[in-house]
Amino acid sequence: MKNKSFTLLLTAILTLSLVLAGCGSGNNVGGNGSAATTDTAPSTAEDQSEAPQGPTEITIMLPLNTSETPPDTIKTELEKLTNTKLTYQFFPADTYEEKLNTAFATSSLPQVTYLKNQTTFIQMKEAIKDGQFWEIEPYLGEFPNLSKMKTEILNNTRVDGKLYSLYIGRPLARQGMIYRKDWADKLGISAPANVDELFEMAKAFTEQDPDGNGQKDTIGLVDRNELVYGAFKTVSAWFGTPNNWGEKDGSLQPEFMFPQYVDTMDFFKKLRDNGYMNQDFAATSKTDAVNMFTSGKAGMYIGGSMQDIDSLNKDLIKNAPDAVLDTHSMVAGKDGAFAQWMIPGYNNIVLFPKSSVKSEEELKKLLAFFDKMMTPEVANLMYWGIEGTHYTVVDGKAKVTDDKELIEREVKPFKDSVIGEFETNGMYESYNTLPGRIHAEELIKENVKVGVPDPTAALDSPTYTSKGVELQQIITDATYQYIYGQIDQAGFDQAVEQWKSRGGDKIIEEYNAAK
């Protein structure tokens, strides 16, 4: 018993000694030994949590709408502001869908994947439904800036009611016409008030020698191989055609089943038959169409964005120094009504593939990066560039440098990836001096007042998701064939029936069930 008692006493004394030694060494910065290590471990962990974390490595794939990959000028500053190490994978816009599909098929999409446009979004919906991309709505509340994104636009990107994407915001209706005001003034023509006057302007620009060189070498309208962002859809809206889908007899029907769509085809057929537009427009690229306009050979450029007037003017005056451009969009249909088709508030989205984003923690780091992107400082950097180099602030707005090539080379590729819009990310609005551009900004606001939304933007049709792009090609081909005079009304109607029999009827049924 004595030995046992002695042992217990000795153990207690040793334990107390260790405790006292630990307390003493805790105040001794230079102390060492196991007791000191045990005591300092918690403070070391605390120091590590408070220490700045290393940069988050992010790989981003996005379309390139310029001729060259940009230098690292903007990227370097962006990395500093967001504490990231960024790898951008730029692919030319013309071949982007091919690269996107290849990367998807081989499970090699990067962490941040921009699509090309709304069409590629539709094509990707099946994969989204299959759970191959992260749903992000459960996390947005953790990020104050992402939470500012417009609900109505986010809703237009939902898939089966769930949110998987962030959007690149755009004005709802910025399309219209950019035209040679100097030609119009010379010929005594006002901006067209209706579609008939629009035709007459194209005729006059072709037949009345507006450039005054004594030769018949001008055309009224130059268009390109794009029925949506070229001239066709904008003019079609002026004729009163619904925006992709419209209500007829209480049912949603596709735009090409409305008589106004046929009226628009007749309008373009008449323009082409008379030589008032480029004959091979269905095979003309955007680049070639722009070059034709800026070389001084065409008087009207319709569709896309009236904000393009800046770049068109810059190149045009190199060839025609006295040229004056203006913008216009209020063209009434045959019934005297004004209408503009509207986009769903975005022109592209960004997704986060599960094949490359392996965990919720990694996803949150990516969302944290985009949350910083929606601060004015970062949004201005990506949209406008570096203050003092690419732009200056005048009257609270961004005035870009006169060196447009510098902007095109260093800023434009990043500008196309800015999420949100100036109302939500706080970036500067544009300071404009070109009268036609100032007019364009006024018209964009007016366009919305007569804007026509797509009633199916927030609806879902499984058949349209899987076959819509393929089926639309039937209508696209038939539209061009009609305008070129290769088929008549009966031939176009036959194409519509083909669209319906191959899945179109099912699309109509599904959209009407979903509304």
Side-chain angles (χ1 to χ4, degrees):
M1 290 292 294
K2 287 183 179 180
N3 288 338
K4 184 175 182 181
S5 299
F6 177 78
T7 301
L8 291 173
L9 178 60
L10 179 60
T11 301
I13 292 171
L14 287 173
T15 302
L16 178 61
S17 298
L18 288 172
V19 171
L20 291 174
C23 291
S25 65
N27 295 319
N28 182 0
V29 177
N32 51 32
S34 61
T37 302
T38 302
D39 183 67
T40 57
S43 62
T44 300
E46 183 178 340
D47 290 342
Q48 288 177 345
S49 66
E50 293 177 355
Q53 295 184 354
T56 301
E57 295 188 10
I58 303 175
T59 303
I60 302 171
M61 176 181 177
L62 71 169
L64 180 66
N65 292 298
T66 58
S67 59
E68 297 179 359
T69 301
D72 288 345
T73 310
I74 301 301
K75 183 175 84 78
T76 300
E77 294 301 313
L78 178 59
E79 289 175 331
K80 293 177 184 176
L81 290 175
T82 59
N83 190 29
T84 54
K85 181 176 175 56
L86 303 172
T87 300
Y88 277 95
Q89 298 177 352
F90 288 102
F91 296 103
D94 290 345
T95 59
Y96 190 74
E97 287 185 43
E98 178 183 346
K99 295 292 184 182
L100 186 68
N101 291 334
T102 299
F104 176 71
T106 57
S107 298
S108 58
L109 289 174
Q111 297 156 291
V112 176
T113 301
Y114 283 81
L115 302 187
K116 182 182 178 182
N117 49 35
Q118 295 172 38
T119 300
T120 51
F121 176 39
I122 293 170
Q123 292 174 320
M124 202 62 73
K125 279 189 175 181
E126 278 301 318
I128 293 173
K129 291 179 182 179
D130 287 343
Q132 298 189 45
F133 295 90
W134 281 91
E135 183 186 355
I136 63 171
E137 189 165 21
Y139 311 101
L140 291 186
E142 301 177 29
F143 302 97
N145 297 312
L146 293 180
S147 297
K148 297 175 185 176
M149 300 188 84
K150 295 181 178 179
T151 302
E152 63 272 24
I153 299 176
L154 288 173
N155 286 342
N156 286 337
T157 72
R158 290 183 180 277
V159 178
D160 282 349
K162 297 179 180 180
L163 188 64
Y164 298 84
S165 59
L166 303 174
Y167 69 82
I168 292 82
R170 288 294 182 270
L172 291 170
R174 57 180 181 164
Q175 67 280 351
M177 62 183 289
I178 299 170
Y179 71 101
R180 290 289 298 270
K181 188 177 185 301
D182 57 317
W183 286 7
D185 290 345
K186 178 182 178 181
L187 301 178
I189 301 172
S190 299
N194 52 54
V195 290
D196 290 333
E197 291 184 11
L198 178 67
F199 183 88
E200 292 302 318
M201 175 176 275
K203 178 180 179 180
F205 282 173
T206 306
E207 296 182 345
Q208 296 184 28
D209 189 25
D211 60 359
N213 67 356
Q215 301 178 35
K216 192 174 181 180
D217 58 355
T218 59
I219 59 171
L221 169 69
V222 61
D223 196 18
R224 56 188 170 109
N225 55 351
E226 171 60 72
L227 290 181
V228 177
Y229 298 107
F232 187 87
K233 190 170 181 67
T234 295
V235 175
S236 188
W238 293 342
F239 270 91
T241 307
N243 184 5
N244 295 331
W245 289 72
E247 194 89 18
K248 179 193 287 187
D249 300 327
S251 171
L252 286 175
Q253 302 287 329
E255 60 183 353
F256 48 82
M257 292 176 64
F258 286 75
Q260 295 91 336
Y261 189 95
V262 178
D263 291 342
T264 308
M265 291 194 298
D266 286 334
F267 179 85
F268 278 90
K269 184 177 188 303
K270 189 176 178 183
L271 280 177
R272 184 178 179 277
D273 287 348
N274 284 281
Y276 302 156
M277 68 180 296
N278 50 319
Q279 294 293 290
D280 60 344
F281 77 97
T284 302
S285 68
K286 179 181 180 179
T287 299
D288 289 341
V290 166
N291 289 340
M292 189 177 298
F293 186 80
T294 57
S295 67
K297 298 302 181 183
M300 289 187 287
Y301 184 89
I302 299 177
S305 169
M306 290 183 289
Q307 295 166 325
D308 290 341
I309 189 173
D310 286 317
S311 58
L312 293 177
N313 182 74
K314 174 181 69 71
D315 291 334
L316 174 61
I317 59 179
K318 294 177 183 177
N319 301 307
D322 297 328
V324 178
L325 295 180
D326 200 0
T327 49
H328 183 62
S329 63
M330 290 300 153
V331 180
K334 291 184 177 298
D335 60 357
F338 295 102
Q340 307 288 348
W341 70 277
M342 297 196 300
I343 65 172
Y346 67 93
N347 76 329
N348 200 358
I349 64 167
V350 58
L351 295 168
F352 307 95
K354 288 185 177 179
S355 59
S356 54
V357 182
K358 300 297 186 180
S359 67
E360 186 178 81
E361 179 184 6
E362 185 179 356
L363 175 65
K364 288 185 177 182
K365 288 182 178 180
L366 299 176
L367 293 175
F369 166 68
F370 280 99
D371 194 64
K372 292 175 182 176
M373 277 181 61
M374 285 196 68
T375 60
E377 185 178 20
V378 179
N380 281 325
L381 171 69
M382 297 189 69
Y383 197 87
W384 298 113
I386 299 172
E387 185 176 355
T389 300
H390 302 104
Y391 76 99
T392 55
V393 180
V394 179
D395 295 336
K397 297 183 178 182
K399 180 181 180 182
V400 298
T401 177
D402 292 333
D403 190 347
K404 300 301 188 292
E405 285 76 14
L406 179 67
I407 299 295
E408 182 83 0
R409 184 173 64 255
E410 296 187 352
V411 182
K412 180 67 164 64
F414 297 96
K415 181 176 185 175
D416 293 336
S417 68
V418 177
I419 61 169
E421 51 277 292
F422 72 89
E423 301 101 321
T424 55
N425 60 29
M427 68 185 181
Y428 294 119
E429 294 185 70
S430 174
Y431 178 84
N432 302 303
T433 56
L434 188 67
R437 174 61 187 274
I438 295 172
H439 191 201
E441 296 299 329
E442 296 169 349
L443 289 170
I444 288 171
K445 295 176 181 178
E446 292 300 310
N447 281 355
V448 176
K449 297 177 182 178
V450 293
V452 179
D454 177 356
T456 66
L459 302 181
D460 189 46
S461 161
T463 305
Y464 186 79
T465 298
S466 61
K467 302 180 66 175
V469 175
E470 170 193 339
L471 292 176
Q472 183 58 40
Q473 194 60 48
I474 297 172
I475 304 302
T476 298
D477 291 344
T479 300
Y480 284 135
Q481 291 166 359
Y482 186 99
I483 295 171
Y484 273 53
Q486 297 169 353
I487 61 173
D488 56 11
Q489 174 78 57
F492 184 78
D493 291 343
Q494 185 177 359
V496 173
E497 290 302 316
Q498 184 181 8
W499 177 89
K500 292 170 67 177
S501 65
R502 290 190 178 183
D505 277 335
K506 191 67 175 175
I507 295 174
I508 293 174
E509 177 186 331
E510 290 168 352
Y511 272 143
N512 280 282
K515 69 177 182 178

